[in-house]
Amino acid sequence: MGQKVNPVNFRIGVSNTWKSRWFAERGEYRKFLFEDILLRRSLEEKLKLAGVCSVDIERLPKAMTIRLLVSRPGIVIGRGGSGIEDVKKFVVEKLGFTPKSPKLSKIEIIVEEVKNSDLSARLVAQRITGELERRMPHRRVVTKIMERVMAAGAKGIRISLAGRIGGADIARSEKFQVGSVPTQSLRADIDYAQAQALLKKGYVGIKVWVYKGQEENHAA
């Protein structure tokens, strides 16, 4: 099961909670779902330099709260909070709201800093993607990053690469692991992310599991 189920979704309600939190009336679920997907992809692309770790969205009847977990919050906030206003305008444009729209909601942007970026699977995957796209040797990249993650306090890390690794003529997969990664334990605090690196010969898929230890408290 640990190889077939997304480790984050597998622990929802136990040690993780939902990234989108809202209730939809009949006929609105699909609309809200597509809006959330659009917002996440757009914000991750716009704030790429800030190192976006996660985008949580909460909806109320007349309000929306977007919580951004980033490694460099100063880039998002900007001077005097001007960056927050830019993000709000960006969200309004993506949702297609106008000043005369009756459904215009109050939008609140909350920016939080990642406590330890080396323990974030998404940021680790982004780091690997950048190194591979700069044509660095994949084994050297993975070894260096795993050492850095373990030094940051992780109990274990697993990295999987799949595709035409190193420009090979035939696609293959390689797995690397240091420490323990108990994917089948619900109490295990495992962060998971996947990314794609576009290389000269094609895409290389990247999957990262970071085991931070046992979770004592259940998610709210």
Side-chain angles (χ1 to χ4, degrees), residues 137-177:
H138 68 281
R139 287 191 178 89
R140 182 187 303 174
V141 171
V142 170
T143 301
K144 183 178 180 181
I145 287 180
M146 288 195 302
E147 292 176 352
R148 183 171 177 176
V149 172
M150 295 300 291
K155 303 296 183 180
I157 177 173
R158 177 189 299 171
I159 298 175
S160 174
L161 304 180
R164 298 180 65 178
I165 304 171
D169 293 333
I170 300 176
R172 67 180 190 275
S173 62
E174 292 189 21
K175 294 183 179 180
F176 309 85
Q177 181 170 329

Side-chain angles (χ1 to χ4, degrees), residues 87-180:
V87 174
K88 287 183 180 180
K89 293 179 182 178
F90 179 78
V91 170
V92 169
E93 292 176 359
K94 285 297 179 181
L95 294 178
F97 289 152
T98 64
K100 297 182 180 180
S101 174
K103 292 185 178 181
L104 180 63
S105 302
K106 175 184 177 182
I107 298 175
E108 181 180 6
I109 307 296
I110 300 175
V111 182
E112 297 180 354
E113 183 178 6
V114 180
K115 295 180 180 179
N116 192 339
S117 61
D118 290 330
L119 295 180
S120 170
R122 178 173 294 276
L123 297 181
V124 170
Q126 292 175 0
R127 196 173 300 130
I128 295 174
T129 300
E131 294 291 337
L132 293 182
E133 290 180 345
R134 284 193 287 270
R135 302 183 181 181
M136 297 293 291
H138 68 281
R139 287 191 178 89
R140 182 187 303 174
V141 171
V142 170
T143 301
K144 183 178 180 181
I145 287 180
M146 288 195 302
E147 292 176 352
R148 183 171 177 176
V149 172
M150 295 300 291
K155 303 296 183 180
I157 177 173
R158 177 189 299 171
I159 298 175
S160 174
L161 304 180
R164 298 180 65 178
I165 304 171
D169 293 333
I170 300 176
R172 67 180 190 275
S173 62
E174 292 189 21
K175 294 183 179 180
F176 309 85
Q177 181 170 329
V178 175
S180 173

Side-chain angles (χ1 to χ4, degrees), residues 39-48 52 55 122:
L39 284 178
R40 283 197 176 89
R41 291 178 177 175
S42 302
L43 289 172
E44 287 173 1
E45 181 64 27
K46 177 179 176 62
L47 305 175
K48 190 174 182 179
V52 179
V55 179
R122 178 173 294 276

Side-chain angles (χ1 to χ4, degrees), residues 43-62:
L43 289 172
E44 287 173 1
E45 181 64 27
K46 177 179 176 62
L47 305 175
K48 190 174 182 179
L49 295 178
V52 179
C53 181
S54 69
V55 179
D56 291 0
I57 300 175
E58 297 181 13
R59 294 175 184 263
L60 294 174
K62 295 296 182 180

Side-chain angles (χ1 to χ4, degrees), residues 73-86:
I75 296 178
V76 182
I77 298 173
R79 180 174 297 178
S82 60
I84 298 293
E85 296 301 321
D86 292 340

